Amino acid sequence: QVQLVESGGALVQPGGSLRLSCEASGSIYSINSMRWYRKAPGQEREMVALSMTGGNTNYADSVKGRFTISRDNAKNTVYLQMNSLKTEDTAVYYCFANIRRRGWYDGGSDYWGKGTLVTVSS
């Protein structure tokens, strides 16, 4: 089956930068979209960034101008470049993807990674 694996989470000081990666592996025909979500302690899960196959992107207002989502289609990988990090960015970050497994006729199924922890603290 398809598996998503996040990496890059770490402890970083306020104002610092971090780059998260999410690699999809398994039976993949194409990836329709990839997203980054996060869940802070005591908070609901929030979508922070979206990348569509056509190149369109969307960001949550809280991260706009500081975070950038990008994709390497050849590697089935999505990245989240996080700059000017704030303590409020502390959360477990999850990768999401809608993936076609068999062909163009397949509308796609949803998959989630297990998350990577980002802690912003001095």
Side-chain angles (χ1 to χ4, degrees):
Q1 293 290 93
V2 172
Q3 184 179 20
L4 305 182
V5 179
E6 304 99 333
S7 62
L11 172 64
V12 63
Q13 294 183 357
S17 297
L18 209 57
R19 188 194 191 206
L20 306 183
S21 299
C22 172
E23 182 180 7
S25 61
S27 299
I28 299 172
Y29 179 80
S30 66
I31 299 177
N32 295 320
S33 66
M34 302 190 83
R35 308 181 185 191
W36 287 99
Y37 288 80
R38 69 184 181 187
K39 189 181 190 312
Q43 303 293 320
E44 294 184 354
R45 185 176 61 190
E46 172 191 29
M47 190 183 77
V48 299
L50 163 68
S51 174
M52 301 298 295
T53 186
N56 291 335
T57 59
N58 269 321
Y59 299 92
D61 289 340
S62 58
V63 307
K64 196 172 299 182
R66 299 188 296 118
F67 290 11
T68 302
I69 188 170
S70 61
R71 296 171 67 174
D72 185 338
N73 292 325
K75 296 181 181 291
N76 291 328
T77 299
V78 64
Y79 306 94
L80 186 67
Q81 179 66 46
M82 304 184 294
N83 299 325
S84 301
L85 283 163
K86 306 174 180 179
T87 57
E88 303 95 285
D89 296 318
T90 296
V92 177
Y93 285 72
Y94 297 91
C95 180
F96 166 94
N98 183 268
I99 295 174
R100 291 185 173 101
R101 294 185 62 204
R102 292 170 292 276
W104 293 112
Y105 64 90
D106 182 2
S109 299
D110 295 339
Y111 299 91
W112 289 89
K114 295 186 180 297
T116 185
L117 177 62
V118 173
T119 302
V120 185
S121 177
S122 58

